[in-house]
Amino acid sequence: MPLPPAPNRRAALLTQDAFDHQQAPQARGRKRVAEPDEAPAPVAAAVVAPAAPAPSEARPARPRTRRSQDNGVAPAPVAAPAAPVATATAPAPKPARERKARSTGPAKLFVLDTNVLLHDPTSLFRFEEHDIYLPMIVLEELDAHKKGMTEVARNGRQVSRSLDALVATPGADIGRGIKLDSTGQRAAGGCLFFQTSGLDFDLPASLPPGKADNQILGVVEGLRKQQSAREVVLVSKDINMRVKARALGLPAEDYQNDKALEDGDLLYSGMLALPPDFWNRNGKSVESWQSGAHTFYRISGPIVPQLMINQFVYFEAPGEPSLYARVSEIRDKTAVLKTLKDYGHAKNAVWGVTTRNREQNFAVNLLMDPEVDFVTLAGTAGTGKTLMALATGLTQVLDDRRYTEIIMTRATVSVGEDIGFLPGTEEEKMGPWMGALDDNLEFLAKGDGGNAGEWGRAATNDLIRSRIKIKSMNFMRGRTFMNKFVIIDEAQNLTPKQMKTLITRAGPGTKIICMGNLAQIDTPYLTEGSSGLTFAVDRFKGWPHSGHITLARGERSRLADFASDVL
């Protein structure tokens, strides 16, 4: 049988004597190669692994086997004798296994704080191949938070049910760890460990041992001493807890899986500026045609992969005609751009309102398009989000009869101290939260702001209010809105779960508008990256029936614009 090419290439690096020594035993037979007294054995060892240890020093191979087990390569109770067998019979493959162990590293052990589980009940299954450790005090705190009807209580009960399902899995052994994928969560490849015995740790005397946070810190310290071969990390949503851990020299991290974006600057803006040389490069290959009042352009080139459906593009250059269009189709390596309707012109005013800048015109084109079911508007104070939503809603409800009524709701998160319970019906209780609605309706009901056709002239303030319903988010479960124009104001204060609850209320013919300012988040534990508004923008981008615009320029007043910039 001819020799495979790989050994010949490796042997070519040897001297002629060493090459003859290596080839001779192979020609005589396989049994002679395994004999310890044969001369080729040390030569092959020198060739394949010059720095390999002697047989008496083969014990360090066992940590490599343990690291591969921690990474999920092999189950924990298996393959203890693998290292001596590989050393005795097949020295050549050893370097390949060594390189793989160094590249992957051991799986981490994450100690979860209670607030992580209460914040995201599915966090148990969000750590991929790494293991999770739950101190006993965390289970005690979960039990204390499971009573009530709040979202925290619901999350606590869901975590308890998940833990019960894992523990009840056939063959589960708490002492050796419970596989997190045993209940069908295939993304989780690690194990779940509970604190079943005391740990040896020493904390400073200034940290009282009776406090739950300090007990969790002690568990992390004890695990670091007990399992020095792997990295033990505390995961907590509590900033002070992480600061104390780092002050003690313990690694601590924030729970990042709930964040749609790491940086708010990476948020999808919904628009893209075409390069100044766009027409010079693509002018000859662009196809254009007219359909009704719109012009369509089919473009190609390197800019197409950057585009998404319903994304706005604009071209502005001195001395050249401007282009404002929306991406209506992406196919293969081409994209179709559709020109917009100019709502900045008085003849296209919506309920007497004309747009004042480029972004507002983009937003009104989305709000007036019946094919777009979900619109998100983000921007600082005074950019006109609520005014545009109400104006387009009144036009499509009263003039076009496209929707039956406007439903408006918002997150009832106060800026300062709460004033207590409010009297009256649901709408009366929501009245103090709807000051933005009253302010904008007052402007739209004016003679100079509401002359939008016959209906605009005849409509009174009572008629307008009769088509606007104010609803509380607390009673949205189980509801279905059909042919409604739903406005969700202050959406930056919603969690992703609350946002999902509201959006899934939409029935046939319903349009939902979410508005908010990510710089004014009042909900505790929410940031720009984990807000429900950011979550919705990131998940819906590119869907043919949704659109997003980030409004950048304020139009309220020069005082408000300056305050937004400098304060």
Side-chain angles (χ1 to χ4, degrees):
M1 176 183 291
L3 293 175
N8 285 337
R9 285 198 299 269
R10 186 173 69 242
L13 302 175
L14 305 177
T15 62
Q16 185 63 35
D17 295 339
F19 178 80
D20 295 339
H21 268 290
Q22 189 177 14
Q23 296 298 321
Q26 294 177 359
R28 288 194 296 269
R30 272 178 129 181
K31 293 183 180 179
R32 298 293 303 276
V33 179
E35 295 178 5
D37 296 333
E38 289 289 336
V43 175
V47 173
V48 178
S56 61
E57 300 173 352
R59 282 179 294 177
R62 295 171 66 187
R64 292 198 299 271
T65 305
R66 185 166 63 249
R67 285 201 299 272
S68 65
Q69 293 168 2
D70 291 338
N71 279 325
V73 177
V78 184
V85 172
T87 305
T89 60
K94 272 199 313 183
R97 282 213 312 269
E98 229 174 15
R99 286 194 298 270
K100 184 177 180 181
R102 284 197 299 264
S103 63
T104 56
K108 297 180 181 180
L109 182 63
F110 289 103
V111 181
L112 300 191
D113 195 359
T114 314
N115 48 45
V116 175
L117 299 173
L118 295 176
H119 178 77
D120 182 6
T122 63
S123 58
L124 289 169
F125 313 103
R126 304 287 189 180
F127 289 87
E128 298 178 348
E129 76 275 10
H130 302 290
D131 297 336
I132 292 176
Y133 190 95
L134 292 184
M136 195 57 64
I137 188 63
V138 170
L139 300 180
E140 287 289 325
E141 289 192 307
L142 279 177
D143 185 65
H145 284 91
K146 70 180 183 181
K147 302 176 181 65
M149 298 299 295
T150 63
E151 184 178 0
V152 171
R154 284 194 296 269
N155 292 344
R157 291 191 293 269
Q158 184 175 342
V159 172
S160 298
R161 287 190 291 267
S162 300
L163 293 176
D164 181 63
L166 288 169
V167 173
T169 304
D173 187 353
I174 293 181
R176 301 175 63 180
I178 303 172
K179 296 294 291 181
L180 287 167
D181 61 356
S182 58
T183 57
Q185 302 285 345
R186 299 302 179 191
C191 293
L192 172 66
F193 295 92
F194 293 95
Q195 183 183 0
T196 56
S197 60
L199 294 171
D200 181 24
F201 58 86
D202 295 319
L203 291 179
S206 58
L207 296 178
K211 191 175 181 180
D213 287 357
N214 299 335
Q215 294 185 38
I216 296 175
L217 293 174
V219 168
V220 177
E221 175 67 24
L223 287 174
R224 289 191 69 194
K225 295 179 179 179
Q226 187 185 81
Q227 304 196 24
S228 57
R230 64 194 306 190
E231 187 176 357
V232 180
V233 182
L234 171 66
V235 182
S236 175
K237 297 291 294 181
D238 188 351
I239 297 177
N240 291 333
M241 179 79 159
R242 299 198 299 268
V243 171
K244 285 197 297 184
R246 288 165 183 153
L248 296 173
L250 304 175
E253 297 178 2
D254 189 9
Y255 179 64
Q256 302 285 346
N257 195 270
D258 62 327
K259 295 185 178 179
L261 295 174
E262 292 293 333
D263 189 356
D265 295 335
L266 302 177
L267 183 67
Y268 172 63
S269 65
M271 54 188 174
L272 178 68
L274 297 177
D277 59 346
F278 174 75
W279 291 117
N280 295 332
R281 289 189 174 187
N282 302 278
K284 295 182 179 180
S285 61
V286 170
E287 303 176 26
S288 64
W289 65 92
Q290 192 83 15
S291 178
H294 300 280
T295 304
F296 293 84
Y297 299 92
R298 186 183 300 277
I299 64 173
S300 58
I303 198 173
V304 173
Q306 306 176 36
L307 301 178
M308 293 186 180
I309 295 293
N310 285 336
Q311 185 179 17
F312 292 91
V313 297
Y314 61 92
F315 176 82
E316 294 176 343
E320 296 189 26
S322 300
L323 172 68
Y324 303 99
R326 184 172 65 176
V327 180
S328 61
E329 178 186 327
I330 297 178
R331 183 177 299 177
D332 297 331
K333 297 182 180 180
T334 64
V336 176
L337 307 181
K338 177 183 177 182
T339 57
L340 306 177
K341 188 174 181 179
D342 183 15
Y343 288 100
H345 198 281
K347 68 177 182 180
N348 297 326
V350 179
W351 205 262
V353 175
T354 57
T355 58
R356 296 186 178 182
N357 55 54
R358 178 182 61 224
E359 290 81 11
Q360 285 188 352
N361 191 44
F362 293 165
V364 174
N365 272 273
L366 286 176
L367 294 169
M368 293 296 294
D369 190 349
E371 293 299 321
V372 177
D373 301 331
F374 183 71
V375 179
T376 50
L377 302 177
T380 58
T383 50
K385 302 183 294 294
T386 308
L387 180 64
M388 289 188 297
L390 277 175
T392 55
L394 289 172
T395 299
Q396 295 176 86
V397 169
L398 295 175
D399 285 350
D400 302 337
R401 305 293 185 90
R402 188 174 296 154
Y403 307 102
T404 57
E405 63 182 0
I406 298 175
I407 293 178
M408 195 164 184
T409 185
R410 60 161 288 174
T412 55
V413 180
S414 57
V415 178
E417 292 291 332
D418 202 344
I419 61 175
F421 291 101
L422 299 172
T425 62
E426 177 186 356
E427 292 204 10
E428 291 172 345
K429 290 177 183 294
M430 290 294 295
W433 299 101
M434 290 298 172
L437 171 65
D438 297 333
D439 297 339
N440 287 281
L441 284 181
E442 181 181 354
F443 172 77
L444 293 174
K446 287 182 180 179
D448 59 344
N451 296 328
E454 182 180 352
W455 272 97
R457 289 189 296 270
T460 62
N461 197 25
D462 292 338
L463 176 59
I464 294 175
R465 288 186 175 274
S466 68
R467 295 302 185 95
I468 300 177
K469 297 292 188 298
I470 301 172
K471 301 295 181 183
S472 173
M473 291 197 314
N474 298 339
F475 310 106
M476 289 293 184
R477 286 281 188 198
R479 297 204 59 181
T480 302
F481 298 128
M482 293 183 291
N483 297 316
K484 310 292 186 188
F485 192 88
V486 182
I487 301 175
I488 304 173
D489 204 0
E490 304 296 335
Q492 78 276 3
N493 288 323
L494 299 177
T495 65
K497 185 176 180 181
Q498 291 171 328
M499 182 66 75
K500 179 181 178 181
T501 301
L502 292 177
I503 297 175
T504 52
R505 301 306 98 205
T510 292
K511 189 186 191 86
I512 294 183
I513 294 90
C514 292
M515 308 176 299
N517 180 10
L518 291 172
Q520 295 180 349
I521 297 178
D522 303 315
T523 303
Y525 302 113
L526 275 188
T527 62
E528 293 185 16
S530 60
S531 170
L533 181 59
T534 305
F535 181 78
V537 171
D538 187 65
R539 292 296 189 272
F540 276 91
K541 64 181 180 183
W543 187 49
H545 302 287
S546 70
H548 169 73
I549 280 296
T550 299
L551 302 165
R553 185 172 143 193
E555 299 289 351
R556 179 169 290 166
S557 67
R558 59 189 179 188
L559 173 60
D561 297 343
F562 184 73
S564 297
D565 294 335
V566 302
L567 296 182

